[in-house]
Coordinates of all heavy atoms in Angstrom, one line a residue:
L172 N 8.8 -9.1 13.1 CA 8.2 -10.4 13.4 C 9.2 -11.5 13.5 O 10.2 -11.5 12.8 CB 7.2 -10.7 12.3 CG 6.1 -9.7 12.1 CD1 5.2 -10.2 10.9 CD2 5.2 -9.5 13.3
V173 N 9.0 -12.4 14.4 CA 10.0 -13.5 14.6 C 9.2 -14.8 14.6 O 8.1 -14.9 15.0 CB 10.8 -13.4 15.8 CG1 11.7 -12.2 15.8 CG2 10.0 -13.4 17.1
A174 N 9.9 -15.9 14.1 CA 9.4 -17.3 14.2 C 10.2 -17.9 15.4 O 11.4 -18.0 15.3 CB 9.7 -18.0 12.9
D175 N 9.5 -18.3 16.4 CA 10.1 -18.8 17.6 C 9.9 -20.3 17.7 O 8.8 -20.8 17.9 CB 9.5 -18.1 18.8 CG 10.3 -18.2 20.1 OD1 11.4 -18.8 20.0 OD2 9.9 -17.6 21.1
H176 N 11.0 -21.1 17.6 CA 11.0 -22.5 17.7 C 11.0 -22.9 19.1 O 11.8 -22.4 19.9 CB 12.2 -23.1 16.9 CG 12.2 -24.6 16.7 ND1 12.4 -25.5 17.8 CD2 11.9 -25.3 15.7 CE1 12.3 -26.7 17.3 NE2 12.0 -26.6 16.0
P177 N 10.2 -23.9 19.5 CA 10.1 -24.3 21.0 C 11.4 -24.8 21.5 O 11.7 -24.7 22.7 CB 9.0 -25.4 21.0 CG 8.9 -25.8 19.6 CD 9.2 -24.7 18.7
S178 N 12.3 -25.3 20.7 CA 13.6 -25.9 21.2 C 14.8 -25.0 20.8 O 15.8 -25.0 21.5 CB 13.8 -27.3 20.6 OG 12.7 -28.2 21.0
H179 N 14.7 -24.3 19.7 CA 15.8 -23.5 19.2 C 15.7 -22.0 19.3 O 16.6 -21.3 18.8 CB 16.1 -24.0 17.8 CG 16.3 -25.4 17.6 ND1 15.4 -26.3 17.1 CD2 17.4 -26.2 17.9 CE1 15.9 -27.5 17.1 NE2 17.1 -27.5 17.6
G180 N 14.6 -21.5 19.9 CA 14.5 -20.1 20.0 C 14.1 -19.5 18.6 O 13.5 -20.1 17.8
V181 N 14.5 -18.2 18.4 CA 14.2 -17.5 17.2 C 15.0 -18.1 16.0 O 16.2 -18.1 16.0 CB 14.5 -16.0 17.4 CG1 14.3 -15.3 16.0 CG2 13.6 -15.4 18.4
V182 N 14.2 -18.5 15.0 CA 14.9 -19.1 13.8 C 14.5 -18.3 12.6 O 15.0 -18.7 11.5 CB 14.5 -20.6 13.7 CG1 15.0 -21.4 14.8 CG2 13.0 -20.7 13.5
G183 N 13.7 -17.3 12.7 CA 13.4 -16.5 11.5 C 13.0 -15.1 11.9 O 12.5 -14.9 13.1
A184 N 13.2 -14.1 11.1 CA 12.8 -12.7 11.4 C 12.5 -12.0 10.1 O 13.0 -12.2 9.1 CB 14.0 -12.0 12.1
L185 N 11.5 -11.0 10.3 CA 11.1 -10.1 9.2 C 11.1 -8.7 9.7 O 10.5 -8.5 10.8 CB 9.7 -10.6 8.7 CG 9.1 -9.8 7.6 CD1 8.2 -10.6 6.8 CD2 8.3 -8.6 8.2
L186 N 11.6 -7.8 8.9 CA 11.6 -6.4 9.3 C 10.7 -5.6 8.3 O 10.9 -5.7 7.1 CB 13.0 -5.8 9.2 CG 13.2 -4.3 9.3 CD1 12.6 -3.7 10.6 CD2 14.6 -3.9 9.1
A187 N 9.7 -4.9 8.8 CA 8.9 -4.1 7.9 C 8.8 -2.6 8.5 O 8.7 -2.5 9.7 CB 7.5 -4.7 7.8
L188 N 8.8 -1.6 7.6 CA 8.7 -0.3 8.1 C 8.2 0.6 7.0 O 8.3 0.3 5.8 CB 10.1 0.2 8.6 CG 11.2 0.5 7.6 CD1 12.3 1.3 8.2 CD2 11.8 -0.9 7.1
P189 N 7.5 1.7 7.4 CA 7.1 2.7 6.3 C 8.3 3.4 5.7 O 9.2 3.8 6.4 CB 6.2 3.7 7.1 CG 6.7 3.5 8.5 CD 7.2 2.2 8.7
P190 N 8.2 3.5 4.4 CA 9.4 4.1 3.6 C 9.4 5.6 3.7 O 9.2 6.3 2.8 CB 9.2 3.6 2.2 CG 7.7 3.6 2.1 CD 7.2 3.1 3.4
A191 N 9.7 6.1 4.9 CA 9.6 7.6 5.2 C 10.5 8.4 4.3 O 10.1 9.4 3.7 CB 9.9 7.9 6.6
R192 N 11.8 8.0 4.1 CA 12.7 8.8 3.3 C 12.3 8.8 1.8 O 12.4 9.9 1.2 CB 14.1 8.2 3.4 CG 14.8 8.3 4.7 CD 16.3 7.9 4.7 NE 16.8 7.8 6.0 CZ 17.1 6.7 6.6 NH1 16.7 5.5 6.1 NH2 17.6 6.7 7.8
V193 N 11.8 7.7 1.3 CA 11.3 7.7 -0.1 C 10.1 8.6 -0.2 O 10.1 9.4 -1.2 CB 10.9 6.2 -0.4 CG1 10.2 6.2 -1.8 CG2 12.1 5.3 -0.5
L194 N 9.2 8.5 0.7 CA 8.0 9.4 0.6 C 8.3 10.9 0.6 O 7.7 11.7 0.0 CB 7.0 9.0 1.7 CG 6.3 7.6 1.6 CD1 5.5 7.3 2.8 CD2 5.4 7.5 0.3
S195 N 9.3 11.2 1.4 CA 9.6 12.6 1.6 C 10.3 13.2 0.4 O 10.4 14.4 0.2 CB 10.5 12.8 2.8 OG 11.8 12.2 2.6
N196 N 10.7 12.3 -0.6 CA 11.5 12.8 -1.8 C 10.7 12.6 -3.0 O 11.2 12.7 -4.1 CB 12.8 12.0 -1.9 CG 13.8 12.4 -0.8 OD1 13.9 13.6 -0.5 ND2 14.5 11.5 -0.2
L197 N 9.4 12.4 -2.9 CA 8.6 12.1 -4.1 C 8.0 13.4 -4.8 O 7.4 13.3 -5.8 CB 7.4 11.1 -3.8 CG 7.8 9.7 -3.5 CD1 6.5 8.9 -3.2 CD2 8.5 9.1 -4.7
G198 N 8.1 14.5 -4.1 CA 7.5 15.7 -4.6 C 6.0 15.8 -4.4 O 5.4 16.6 -5.0
I199 N 5.5 15.0 -3.4 CA 4.1 15.1 -3.1 C 3.9 16.1 -1.9 O 4.9 16.3 -1.2 CB 3.5 13.8 -2.8 CG1 4.2 13.1 -1.6 CG2 3.5 12.8 -4.0 CD1 3.7 11.8 -1.2
P200 N 2.8 16.7 -1.7 CA 2.6 17.6 -0.6 C 3.0 16.9 0.8 O 2.8 15.7 1.0 CB 1.1 17.9 -0.6 CG 0.7 17.7 -2.0 CD 1.5 16.5 -2.5
E201 N 3.5 17.8 1.6 CA 4.1 17.3 2.9 C 3.1 16.5 3.7 O 3.4 15.4 4.2 CB 4.6 18.4 3.7 CG 5.3 18.0 5.0 CD 5.9 19.2 5.8 OE1 5.8 20.3 5.3 OE2 6.3 19.0 6.9
M202 N 1.9 16.9 3.8 CA 0.9 16.2 4.6 C 0.5 14.9 4.0 O 0.2 13.9 4.7 CB -0.4 17.1 4.8 CG -0.2 18.2 5.9 SD 0.4 17.5 7.5 CE -0.9 16.4 8.0
E203 N 0.5 14.8 2.6 CA 0.3 13.6 2.0 C 1.4 12.6 2.2 O 1.1 11.4 2.4 CB 0.1 13.8 0.5 CG -1.3 14.5 0.1 CD -1.6 14.4 -1.4 OE1 -1.6 13.2 -1.9 OE2 -1.8 15.4 -2.0
A204 N 2.6 13.1 2.2 CA 3.7 12.2 2.5 C 3.6 11.6 3.9 O 3.9 10.4 4.2 CB 5.1 13.0 2.4
L205 N 3.2 12.5 4.9 CA 3.0 12.0 6.2 C 1.9 10.9 6.3 O 2.0 9.9 6.9 CB 2.7 13.2 7.1 CG 2.6 12.9 8.6 CD1 3.9 12.3 9.2 CD2 2.2 14.1 9.4
A206 N 0.8 11.2 5.6 CA -0.3 10.3 5.6 C 0.1 9.0 4.9 O -0.4 7.9 5.2 CB -1.5 10.9 4.8
G207 N 1.1 9.0 4.0 CA 1.6 7.8 3.3 C 2.2 6.8 4.3 O 2.3 5.7 4.0
L208 N 2.6 7.3 5.4 CA 3.2 6.4 6.4 C 2.2 5.4 6.9 O 2.5 4.4 7.5 CB 3.8 7.2 7.6 CG 4.9 8.2 7.3 CD1 5.3 9.0 8.6 CD2 6.1 7.5 6.8
L209 N 0.9 5.8 6.8 CA -0.2 4.9 7.2 C -0.8 4.1 6.1 O -1.8 3.5 6.2 CB -1.3 5.7 7.9 CG -0.9 6.6 9.1 CD1 -2.2 7.3 9.7 CD2 -0.1 5.9 10.1
K210 N -0.2 4.2 4.9 CA -0.8 3.6 3.7 C 0.2 2.6 3.0 O -0.2 1.7 2.3 CB -1.2 4.7 2.7 CG -2.2 5.6 3.1 CD -2.6 6.6 2.1 CE -3.7 7.6 2.5 NZ -4.0 8.6 1.5
I211 N 1.5 2.8 3.2 CA 2.5 2.1 2.5 C 3.5 1.5 3.5 O 4.0 2.2 4.4 CB 3.3 2.9 1.5 CG1 2.3 3.6 0.5 CG2 4.3 2.1 0.7 CD1 3.0 4.7 -0.3
I212 N 3.8 0.2 3.3 CA 4.7 -0.5 4.2 C 5.8 -1.2 3.3 O 5.4 -1.8 2.3 CB 4.1 -1.5 5.2 CG1 5.0 -1.9 6.3 CG2 3.5 -2.7 4.5 CD1 5.3 -0.8 7.3
K213 N 7.0 -1.1 3.7 CA 8.1 -1.8 3.0 C 8.6 -3.0 3.7 O 8.9 -2.9 4.9 CB 9.2 -0.9 2.7 CG 10.3 -1.6 1.8 CD 11.5 -0.6 1.5 CE 12.5 -1.3 0.7 NZ 13.7 -0.5 0.4
L214 N 8.6 -4.2 3.1 CA 9.2 -5.4 3.7 C 10.7 -5.3 3.4 O 11.1 -5.5 2.3 CB 8.6 -6.6 3.0 CG 8.8 -7.9 3.8 CD1 7.8 -9.0 3.2 CD2 10.2 -8.4 3.7
N215 N 11.4 -4.9 4.4 CA 12.9 -4.6 4.2 C 13.7 -5.8 4.2 O 14.7 -5.9 3.5 CB 13.3 -3.7 5.3 CG 13.7 -2.3 4.8 OD1 13.0 -1.8 3.9 ND2 14.7 -1.7 5.4
A216 N 13.4 -6.8 5.0 CA 14.2 -8.0 5.1 C 13.4 -9.2 5.7 O 12.6 -9.0 6.6 CB 15.4 -7.8 5.9
V217 N 13.7 -10.4 5.2 CA 13.2 -11.6 5.8 C 14.3 -12.6 5.8 O 15.0 -12.8 4.8 CB 11.9 -12.1 5.1 CG1 12.1 -12.4 3.7 CG2 11.3 -13.3 5.9
A218 N 14.6 -13.3 6.9 CA 15.7 -14.2 7.0 C 15.3 -15.4 7.9 O 14.6 -15.2 8.9 CB 16.9 -13.5 7.5
V219 N 15.9 -16.5 7.5 CA 15.6 -17.8 8.3 C 17.0 -18.5 8.5 O 17.8 -18.5 7.6 CB 14.6 -18.7 7.6 CG1 14.5 -20.0 8.3 CG2 13.3 -18.0 7.4
E220 N 17.1 -19.1 9.7 CA 18.3 -19.8 10.0 C 18.5 -20.9 8.9 O 17.5 -21.6 8.6 CB 18.2 -20.5 11.4 CG 18.3 -19.5 12.5 CD 19.7 -19.0 12.9 OE1 20.6 -19.3 12.1 OE2 19.8 -18.4 13.9
P221 N 19.7 -21.1 8.4 CA 19.9 -22.1 7.4 C 19.4 -23.5 7.7 O 18.9 -24.2 6.8 CB 21.5 -22.2 7.2 CG 21.9 -20.8 7.7 CD 21.0 -20.4 8.8
T222 N 19.5 -23.9 9.0 CA 19.0 -25.3 9.3 C 17.5 -25.4 9.4 O 16.9 -26.5 9.6 CB 19.6 -25.7 10.7 OG1 19.3 -24.7 11.7 CG2 21.1 -25.9 10.6
H223 N 16.8 -24.3 9.2 CA 15.3 -24.3 9.3 C 14.7 -23.8 8.0 O 13.5 -23.5 8.0 CB 14.8 -23.5 10.5 CG 15.1 -24.1 11.8 ND1 16.4 -23.9 12.5 CD2 14.4 -24.8 12.6 CE1 16.3 -24.6 13.6 NE2 15.2 -25.2 13.7
R224 N 15.5 -23.7 7.0 CA 14.9 -23.2 5.7 C 14.1 -24.4 5.0 O 14.3 -25.5 5.4 CB 16.0 -22.7 4.8 CG 16.6 -21.4 5.3 CD 17.8 -20.9 4.5 NE 18.4 -19.8 5.1 CZ 19.6 -19.3 4.8 NH1 20.3 -19.8 3.8 NH2 20.0 -18.2 5.4
S225 N 13.3 -24.1 4.1 CA 12.5 -25.0 3.3 C 11.4 -25.6 4.2 O 10.7 -26.6 3.9 CB 13.3 -26.2 2.8 OG 14.3 -25.7 1.9
G226 N 11.1 -24.9 5.3 CA 10.0 -25.3 6.2 C 8.8 -24.4 6.2 O 7.9 -24.5 7.0
G227 N 8.9 -23.4 5.3 CA 7.7 -22.5 5.2 C 7.8 -21.3 6.2 O 6.8 -20.6 6.3
I228 N 8.9 -21.2 6.9 CA 8.9 -20.1 7.9 C 8.9 -18.7 7.3 O 8.2 -17.9 7.7 CB 10.2 -20.3 8.8 CG1 10.1 -21.6 9.6 CG2 10.4 -19.1 9.7 CD1 11.3 -21.9 10.4
A229 N 9.7 -18.5 6.2 CA 9.7 -17.2 5.6 C 8.3 -16.9 5.0 O 7.8 -15.8 5.1 CB 10.8 -17.1 4.5
A230 N 7.7 -17.9 4.4 CA 6.4 -17.7 3.8 C 5.4 -17.3 4.9 O 4.5 -16.4 4.7 CB 5.9 -18.9 3.1
A231 N 5.5 -17.9 6.1 CA 4.6 -17.6 7.2 C 4.8 -16.2 7.7 O 3.8 -15.5 8.0 CB 4.8 -18.7 8.3
L232 N 6.1 -15.8 7.8 CA 6.4 -14.4 8.2 C 5.8 -13.4 7.3 O 5.2 -12.4 7.7 CB 7.9 -14.3 8.4 CG 8.5 -15.0 9.6 CD1 10.0 -15.0 9.4 CD2 8.1 -14.3 10.9
I233 N 6.0 -13.6 6.0 CA 5.5 -12.7 5.0 C 3.9 -12.6 5.0 O 3.3 -11.6 5.0 CB 5.9 -13.1 3.5 CG1 7.5 -13.0 3.4 CG2 5.2 -12.3 2.5 CD1 8.1 -13.5 2.2
A234 N 3.3 -13.8 5.1 CA 1.8 -13.8 5.2 C 1.3 -13.1 6.4 O 0.3 -12.4 6.4 CB 1.3 -15.3 5.2
T235 N 2.0 -13.3 7.6 CA 1.6 -12.6 8.8 C 1.8 -11.1 8.7 O 0.9 -10.3 9.1 CB 2.4 -13.1 10.0 OG1 2.2 -14.6 10.1 CG2 2.0 -12.5 11.3
C236 N 2.9 -10.7 8.0 CA 3.1 -9.3 7.8 C 2.0 -8.7 7.0 O 1.4 -7.6 7.3 CB 4.5 -9.1 7.2 SG 4.9 -7.3 6.8
R237 N 1.6 -9.3 5.9 CA 0.5 -8.9 5.0 C -0.8 -8.8 5.8 O -1.5 -7.8 5.7 CB 0.4 -9.8 3.8 CG 1.5 -9.8 2.8 CD 1.3 -10.7 1.7 NE 0.1 -10.4 0.9 CZ -0.3 -11.0 -0.2 NH1 0.4 -12.1 -0.6 NH2 -1.3 -10.7 -0.9
Q238 N -1.1 -9.8 6.6 CA -2.3 -9.8 7.3 C -2.4 -8.7 8.4 O -3.4 -8.0 8.5 CB -2.5 -11.1 8.0 CG -3.8 -11.3 8.8 CD -3.9 -12.6 9.5 OE1 -2.8 -13.3 9.8 NE2 -5.1 -13.1 9.8
L239 N -1.2 -8.4 9.0 CA -1.1 -7.4 10.1 C -1.4 -6.0 9.5 O -2.3 -5.3 10.0 CB 0.2 -7.5 10.7 CG 0.6 -6.7 11.9 CD1 1.8 -7.3 12.7 CD2 0.9 -5.2 11.6
Y240 N -0.7 -5.7 8.4 CA -0.9 -4.3 7.9 C -2.2 -4.2 7.1 O -2.7 -3.1 7.0 CB 0.3 -3.9 7.1 CG 1.5 -3.6 8.0 CD1 2.5 -4.5 8.2 CD2 1.6 -2.3 8.6 CE1 3.6 -4.2 9.0 CE2 2.7 -2.0 9.4 CZ 3.6 -2.9 9.6 OH 4.7 -2.6 10.5
S241 N -2.7 -5.3 6.6 CA -4.0 -5.2 6.0 C -5.1 -4.9 7.0 O -6.0 -4.1 6.8 CB -4.4 -6.6 5.3 OG -5.7 -6.6 4.8
Q242 N -4.9 -5.5 8.2 CA -5.9 -5.2 9.3 C -5.8 -3.7 9.7 O -6.8 -3.2 10.2 CB -5.6 -6.1 10.5 CG -6.6 -6.0 11.6 CD -6.4 -7.1 12.7 OE1 -5.8 -8.1 12.4 NE2 -6.9 -6.9 13.9
L243 N -4.6 -3.1 9.6 CA -4.5 -1.7 9.9 C -4.9 -0.8 8.7 O -4.7 0.4 8.8 CB -3.0 -1.4 10.3 CG -2.5 -2.1 11.5 CD1 -1.0 -1.9 11.7 CD2 -3.3 -1.6 12.8
R244 N -5.5 -1.4 7.7 CA -6.0 -0.7 6.5 C -4.9 0.0 5.7 O -5.1 1.0 5.1 CB -7.0 0.4 6.9 CG -8.3 -0.2 7.6 CD -9.1 -1.1 6.6 NE -10.3 -1.5 7.2 CZ -10.5 -2.6 7.9 NH1 -9.5 -3.5 8.0 NH2 -11.7 -3.0 8.4
Y245 N -3.7 -0.6 5.6 CA -2.7 -0.2 4.7 C -3.1 -0.6 3.3 O -3.9 -1.5 3.1 CB -1.3 -0.8 5.0 CG -0.5 0.0 6.0 CD1 -1.0 0.1 7.4 CD2 0.6 0.6 5.7 CE1 -0.3 0.9 8.3 CE2 1.4 1.4 6.6 CZ 0.9 1.5 7.9 OH 1.6 2.3 8.8
L246 N -2.6 0.1 2.3 CA -3.0 -0.1 0.9 C -2.0 -0.9 0.1 O -2.3 -1.6 -0.9 CB -3.3 1.2 0.2 CG -4.3 2.1 0.9 CD1 -4.4 3.5 0.1 CD2 -5.7 1.4 0.9
L247 N -0.7 -0.8 0.5 CA 0.3 -1.4 -0.4 C 1.5 -1.9 0.5 O 2.0 -1.2 1.4 CB 0.9 -0.3 -1.3 CG 2.1 -0.6 -2.2 CD1 1.7 -1.7 -3.3 CD2 2.7 0.6 -2.9
L248 N 2.0 -3.1 0.1 CA 3.2 -3.6 0.7 C 4.2 -3.8 -0.5 O 3.7 -4.3 -1.6 CB 3.0 -4.9 1.4 CG 4.2 -5.7 1.9 CD1 3.9 -6.4 3.2 CD2 4.7 -6.7 0.9
Y249 N 5.4 -3.4 -0.4 CA 6.4 -3.7 -1.4 C 7.8 -4.0 -0.8 O 8.0 -3.8 0.4 CB 6.5 -2.5 -2.4 CG 7.3 -1.4 -1.9 CD1 8.7 -1.2 -2.4 CD2 6.9 -0.4 -1.0 CE1 9.5 -0.2 -1.9 CE2 7.7 0.6 -0.5 CZ 9.0 0.7 -1.0 OH 9.8 1.7 -0.6
G250 N 8.6 -4.5 -1.7 CA 10.0 -4.8 -1.3 C 10.8 -4.9 -2.5 O 10.3 -4.8 -3.6
Q251 N 12.1 -5.0 -2.4 CA 13.0 -5.2 -3.5 C 14.0 -6.3 -3.3 O 14.3 -6.7 -2.1 CB 13.7 -3.8 -3.8 CG 14.6 -3.3 -2.7 CD 14.9 -1.8 -2.9 OE1 14.0 -1.0 -2.7 NE2 16.1 -1.5 -3.2

Side-chain angles (χ1 to χ4, degrees):
L172 302 177
V173 295
D175 200 358
H176 191 283
S178 301
H179 302 104
V181 172
V182 295
L185 178 150
L186 169 63
L188 67 164
R192 293 192 188 99
V193 171
L194 291 173
S195 65
N196 292 317
L197 289 180
I199 59 179
E201 184 177 352
M202 285 306 299
E203 287 194 55
L205 184 61
L208 299 176
L209 306 185
K210 298 179 179 180
I211 304 168
I212 196 72
K213 182 179 182 184
L214 199 166
N215 249 36
V217 59
V219 177
E220 292 282 12
T222 53
H223 290 83
R224 291 174 186 168
S225 302
I228 292 174
L232 287 169
I233 293 171
T235 302
C236 180
R237 290 179 63 178
Q238 182 181 24
L239 188 158
Y240 284 99
S241 176
Q242 189 171 336
L243 295 175
R244 299 294 187 266
Y245 273 66
L246 302 178
L247 174 71
L248 175 144
Y249 82 97
Q251 61 198 71

